[in-house]
Amino acid sequence: MPRLTCSAILGALCLALAAATHVGAQEVRAVDSVGTDIVLSRPAQRIAALGTSTAFVIALDGGVDRLVGIGSTTTFDTMLGTMFPRGAALPSIGGYASARPVAETIAELNPDLVLLWTGSSSASHDPSDLINIGLPVARWGSGSEERMQASIRMVAKLIGKPERGERIVEWLVAGRHREDE
């Protein structure tokens, strides 16, 4: 019977740990509202939310724990501040509607996803400065019911909660049907 050395045992443990870490990570893929393929090595855990993305993430995730920076702390001057007071302490990183965010400032927060709300017209928002320094940027927007539903599904998928996204879309569709009656 072969004798196991300490280095052989340590090597085997390191390989097992690496394999276990890799198995736990699940790649997520989605297409954003302008047709860009977004690929993350795992569901986003650290999100910088520009524009009105903050409330969007809270609705999908159920809290502010994944947020590392937000477009504006004024988001929490509303009912959101009462429900999620910790959100008001998040760093304000600017937004494309007013003060253009500084890519390096956002990068210092080490997000694994930057969400950029593009409104009904995505052509006016150029995230190239964020993309050029290696930040994954997913653009989402409204403008039509179909676009909003696709955006909900996309963000939910990127944070690892596709089933929650589907439930929210179903809730929105059911509400729309009640309005039409």
Side-chain angles (χ1 to χ4, degrees):
M1 176 168 14
R3 203 172 90 154
L4 295 177
T5 64
C6 184
S7 60
I9 293 171
L10 281 175
L13 285 173
C14 286
L15 285 173
L17 180 59
T21 302
H22 181 69
V23 169
Q26 61 181 30
E27 182 179 270
V28 291
R29 295 175 168 268
V31 176
D32 74 4
S33 66
V34 296
T36 303
D37 289 321
I38 308 298
V39 181
L40 303 175
S41 60
R42 64 184 177 126
Q45 301 299 305
R46 299 183 54 79
I47 301 169
L50 298 168
T52 59
S53 301
T54 303
F56 201 59
V57 172
I58 291 170
L60 288 167
D61 196 34
V64 298
D65 293 339
R66 292 180 201 243
L67 294 171
V68 296
I70 57 175
S72 170
T73 55
T74 59
T75 300
F76 289 95
D77 291 343
T78 63
M79 182 174 63
L80 285 177
T82 303
M83 296 171 63
F84 304 101
R86 195 173 76 70
L90 290 167
S92 178
I93 53 178
Y96 281 87
S98 56
R100 187 168 174 81
V102 177
E104 290 77 15
T105 301
I106 296 172
E108 289 172 4
L109 298 172
N110 197 29
D112 47 21
L113 179 63
V114 178
L115 282 179
L116 171 60
W117 181 74
T118 60
S120 58
S121 169
S122 59
S124 62
H125 303 289
D126 178 14
S128 60
D129 53 341
L130 299 166
I131 295 167
N132 288 341
I133 63 170
L135 295 174
V137 177
R139 291 168 279 190
W140 71 277
S142 54
S144 71
E145 189 170 333
E146 292 77 24
R147 188 172 179 198
M148 188 58 158
Q149 290 174 12
S151 292
I152 290 168
R153 288 181 175 110
M154 182 261 305
V155 174
K157 192 173 187 181
L158 291 173
I159 67 171
K161 295 191 173 189
E163 66 289 339
R164 180 144 170 98
E166 286 302 320
R167 284 196 313 270
I168 290 174
V169 167
E170 289 169 7
W171 177 78
L172 289 171
V173 169
R176 174 71 65 199
H177 289 303
R178 282 192 299 276
E179 288 176 11
D180 293 340
E181 294 175 351

